[in-house]
Amino acid sequence: MTQLTGTSEILEQGEVEVLGLLPYSSNYTFLARLRSEDAETFAVYKPERGERPLWDFPPGTLAAREVASFRVSEAAGWGIVPPTVLREDAPLGPGSLQLFVEHDPDVHYLTLMQQRLEDFRIFAALDVVINNADRKAGHVLQDAEGRVWAVDHGLTFHTEPKLRTVIWQFAEEPLGDPLRNQLDRLGTELARSGGVGDELANLLSPGESAATLARVETLLVDDCFPAPGSERPLPWPLI
């Protein structure tokens, strides 16, 4: 069961105990236990110094992109990215802490899409907005209560087109009123003083922050999901 009540407080202030490495991660990713006086939870800890060098993303920035993705999801009212914070005082150095979602690793986007395809419309929109370069099927989790979550957002917010995703089922379809309203809300929050745009400005470069708002505006003007680009529209591996 994924507990959300009081999660932000314990992620930001709880004592962090690193339990061990999580498998199948390209960067150093750890399972951590967080404790406060009256609560305990588990989190995924991604220290900045565990990020492997990439030619197209600045070093030491992936953890901040994880947090920025959470803030965008919340500002749009989607609530599909588990609570995520930056911690400067974590045991292995600064990094992101994200609420751990208990899940069956054999259940992912490719096993869920036939029964729950409409649930993933907002996932597709999120990936366009954050310019997600790595939406593998395994980056979609279903918890014990059947709620679906989007995780692993380190390769996001690049200023150049980077969208690589397994969720292309909505390509060139109209957004629809609910999603258009959510994107309009997100655009307002990105643009207004004191909104999530200010938060992104502290997490990303100025160009990346501005490009995020531009992608929202383009989606609203086009009023449809984009089609796959001609170059590498899928991540690898797919799961």
Side-chain angles (χ1 to χ4, degrees), residues 1 10 14-15 38 53 55 61 71 87 94 98 104 135 137 144 158 171 173 177 189 191 204 214 216 224 226:
M1 181 175 178
I10 193 170
E15 179 184 354
D38 55 0
W55 69 269
T61 67
R71 297 310 308 158
R87 283 284 295 265
Q98 182 175 88
D104 180 348
R135 173 65 71 206
H158 205 286
E173 286 190 11
D177 289 341
E189 285 298 306
L204 308 170
V216 173
C224 68

Side-chain angles (χ1 to χ4, degrees), residues 104-184:
D104 180 348
D106 292 327
V107 177
H108 47 73
Y109 176 71
L110 295 179
T111 67
L112 292 168
M113 66 177 184
Q114 288 189 340
Q115 300 91 348
R116 306 189 59 172
L117 184 59
E118 281 303 304
D119 292 343
F120 295 109
R121 187 172 288 271
I122 57 176
F123 285 65
L126 172 70
D127 286 342
V128 175
V129 170
I130 66 176
N131 197 17
N132 193 351
D134 194 35
R135 173 65 71 206
K136 295 181 174 69
H139 295 172
V140 172
L141 313 180
Q142 178 178 260
D143 67 19
E145 296 178 340
R147 182 171 176 176
V148 285
W149 298 89
V151 300
D152 285 305
H153 298 114
L155 301 184
T156 49
F157 295 102
H158 205 286
T159 55
E160 299 175 7
K162 293 278 185 181
L163 184 59
R164 299 188 192 102
T165 175
V166 295
I167 309 177
W168 286 112
Q169 281 70 19
F170 306 105
E172 300 185 297
E173 286 190 11
L175 297 176
D177 289 341
L179 184 53
R180 191 166 48 249
N181 292 338
Q182 292 162 346
L183 287 165
D184 186 61

Side-chain angles (χ1 to χ4, degrees), residues 11-30:
L11 286 175
E12 291 170 353
Q13 303 176 19
E15 179 184 354
V16 183
E17 177 190 2
V18 176
L19 300 178
L21 275 170
L22 289 170
Y24 313 121
S25 298
S26 56
N27 299 303
Y28 280 98
T29 303
F30 298 89

